[in-house]
Amino acid sequence: EAGVVQSPRYKIIEKKQPVAFWCNPISGHNTLYWYRQNLGQGPELLIRYENEEAVDDSQLPKDRFSAERLKGVDSTLKIQPAELGDSAVYLCASSLGSVPGNTIYFGEGSWLTVV
Amino acid sequence: AQTVTQSQPEMSVQEAETVTLSCTYDTSESDYYLFWYKQPPSRQMILVIRQEAYKQQNATENRFSVNFQKAAKSFSLKISDSQLGDAAMYFCAYVSGANSKLTFGKGITLSVRP
């Protein structure tokens, strides 16, 4: 079974430029998460989807970040414009349903460096 | 709000020895789940072990086991017969029984000496 797939793995951009990350969850997983992990820290939730609906986006900086999950499968996270402080690893994850305690599976992450 | 604390930033263990990684959490809820995730340099989070708060029995997965002390809000991970491949960052994480938001600690870097 294929795991959570993310692309690109690495991205270096200049500040004020836009960037987008793509995620394909595990087949059949209707819950999708985007996490941001700063260096030396644990991941922090940005947004959680149940199918197409964003059910928790309270930590998403909406002035520059946006996300979508069309058709309830793949998802895209966009940053526009990027700032130096956005340098981090962006992790996508998925789970089978949103039942608390269900195992959440992570992708390998997209490493963003803003220069 | 729930918090997860990992106070040890780094630990080292000799190959084949046993090591214990500490984690404490703060919550007012009675229904929740606890996890340990391993993150190698590739950055992919890999689930090591999970514990349901309502279960008194400590979870075990091969060489990995936990010491879950609910009253003390402590959830430590014991790795037996440490192997070189165990070297990674380890994160303790909490999920409330009311939602599926995973809250992580800051992690601990484990090195294994050959």
Side-chain angles (χ1 to χ4, degrees), chain B residues 31-48:
Chain B
D31 181 24
Y32 54 88
Y33 301 79
L34 297 165
F35 303 83
W36 278 97
Y37 276 88
K38 171 185 178 181
Q39 188 178 46
S42 70
R43 286 285 181 161
Q44 183 170 22
M45 286 284 191
I46 303 166
L47 179 65
V48 174

Side-chain angles (χ1 to χ4, degrees), chain A residues 6-79:
Chain A
Q6 292 187 245
S7 69
R9 285 298 315 279
Y10 305 95
K11 190 76 174 178
I12 301 174
I13 61 171
E14 294 184 343
K15 61 181 181 182
K16 300 185 182 180
Q17 294 301 305
V19 65
F21 304 112
W22 174 81
C23 173
N24 179 245
I26 293 173
S27 178
H29 282 193
N30 59 319
T31 303
L32 183 144
Y33 313 76
W34 282 103
Y35 281 82
R36 176 170 61 187
Q37 185 177 19
N38 294 313
L39 187 65
Q41 302 291 321
E44 294 180 336
L45 180 68
L46 290 174
I47 189 168
R48 173 168 65 95
Y49 282 94
E50 297 293 339
N51 300 305
E52 306 87 358
E53 182 182 1
V55 296
D56 184 355
D57 62 356
S58 57
Q59 301 301 311
L60 188 72
K62 298 181 182 64
D63 57 335
R64 298 184 299 106
F65 286 65
S66 63
E68 60 182 11
R69 190 183 184 198
L70 301 177
K71 300 183 180 179
V73 181
D74 295 358
S75 178
T76 302
L77 178 69
K78 298 179 181 178
I79 308 174

